[in-house]
Amino acid sequence: MDKILVHGNRRLKGTVRISGSKNSALPILAAALLTREPCVISRVPDLSDIHYMLTILSELGCEVERASGVVTVKAENVTTEAPYEIVRKMRASVCILGPLLGREKEATVSLPGGCIIGDRPIDLHLRGFEALGAAVRVQSGNVKVLAPELRGSTISLRGKFGSTVLGTDNVMMAAVLAEGTTVIDGAAEEPEVVDLANFLIAMGAKIEGAGTRRIIIEGVKELHGAEHEVIPDRIEAGTFLVAAAICGDGVTLTRVEPGHLTAVLDSLSQAGFQVETDKNRITISPNGTRRPLKLDALPYPSFPTDMQAQMCALLATTDGISVVTDNVFPQRFMHVSELKRMGANIELQGGTAIIHGVEKLSGAPVMASDLRASAALVLAGLQAEGVTEVNRVYHIDRGYESIDDKLNSLGAEIERLKV
Ligand code: EPZ
């Protein structure tokens, strides 16, 4: 189990290249189950979550090849039950339900447990499958969906916390091979949903409205293989922008899509930073005083919950009082207790963190928890006095491709220790 030492008081400067999106690649790899022909997916990041997905696809009977960032998946003959041992490690495994149901008319995965960021139900996914004509059985920790046939239907995916990203993905992947027309109301609008829809359309699916609250799908008889390049990872990009805000003197991100980050760029501008964008680049620079923020994490296109922890690390040393509310995962504040160990002054009130900015954080041994909270601790360490030891770094490796190397290339001093 690795740990990393983050030496504080370093300044960042230069250019960093953003990887392909984890949260786009995962459902797109699962979508390859919808055809017997080979699919070639490029710009797939080298992450443990991706490794888990490729292992699940192999266990289901797919031929999987990976050559650096290009993955070929051929699902000629597949079984329909994902192995518990791997599924339990990654909630996103749930997105194999839709394509298996669409293609084989049945699928079984272990129910994803809750996790560190809160309860992770899949009731909306299951409601969508039932609307398409599937029967849902939950037994001994597994959920099984099966349907003699799938018929298009009108489905609402509006939940208490907004829509569901993987739920929209799952229903879309089941509906593309259903008889007739499916309308998904209250669909998630995230760019990763659009990227999946574009891949499905390249496979021969008929989909309109991806990226809006209302997606319309005309079922087709079968899908064929396709090639696709995954979009840039907007959360990795946002994480580097916040690192550059914390201790940068001009950092440029390349191979990024500024249009996927407008809420994050707006927040950083409001916080007092100069943000410049052009086609596939974003540059952030200090611009005099920093300002506290009132931030509300909400479904896309609002400020993303996956960037909430990172912003708390920035606001922890921003003079004044900031208020951060996570309306998507109200319990997603595992980073707060660890930031307080570093000297941050934060109080939690339900799903809201009240942050009183302090002059400086001090390095300390801290414990990584969820993927984004772990990244926030590394960012906090960059600005702290002394060394911050981040344990259980495997959390970070799930979603960031060589984050230590990339930060070191900008001037950070981060050591990775094998323990
Ligand atoms: C996706 O998870 C992302 N993961 C998450 O990123 C991200 O935080 C989340 O969307 C929200 O943007 C991937 O794409 C692999 P949801 P997902 O279903 O789809 C509730 C990261 O750090 N809900 O959109 O699982 C749910 O509890 C990860 O990269 C229901 O109530 O999230 C939550 O409060 C973490 N019933 C809200 O909706 C359901 O059936 C949003 O969840 C499904 C969800």
Side-chain angles (χ1 to χ4, degrees), residues 22-23 91 120 122-124 164-166 306 328 372:
K22 163 179 85 82
N23 291 351
R91 168 188 163 75
R120 304 295 296 274
I122 60 168
D123 56 305
L124 297 172
T164 162
V165 174
L166 290 179
D306 291 350
V328 179
R372 309 302 174 183

Side-chain angles (χ1 to χ4, degrees), residues 376-405:
L377 297 177
V378 173
L379 268 49
L382 292 172
Q383 65 186 324
E385 199 60 54
V387 180
T388 299
E389 178 186 294
V390 183
N391 293 288
R392 296 187 183 169
V393 169
Y394 60 85
H395 287 291
I396 301 180
D397 295 336
R398 295 188 57 159
Y400 291 94
E401 203 173 27
S402 325
I403 191 170
D404 37 345
D405 295 341

Side-chain angles (χ1 to χ4, degrees), residues 190-268:
E190 273 70 1
E192 294 76 24
V193 172
V194 177
D195 204 28
L196 171 64
N198 290 337
F199 176 57
L200 292 168
I201 290 165
M203 295 171 78
K206 292 194 169 68
I207 302 170
E208 287 176 11
T212 73
R213 306 296 280 165
R214 184 176 167 84
I215 299 178
I216 300 171
I217 299 153
E218 286 300 330
V220 295
K221 280 270 173 276
E222 64 178 6
L223 297 179
H224 52 72
E227 298 194 0
H228 184 81
E229 178 175 295
V230 167
I231 55 172
D233 192 315
R234 62 190 169 99
I235 305 300
E236 183 198 25
T239 304
F240 278 100
L241 288 171
V242 172
I246 286 173
C247 59
D249 296 316
V251 171
T252 296
L253 277 52
T254 63
R255 293 197 72 195
V256 67
E257 176 47 70
H260 292 163
L261 280 152
T262 43
V264 174
L265 301 183
D266 291 349
S267 300
L268 288 168

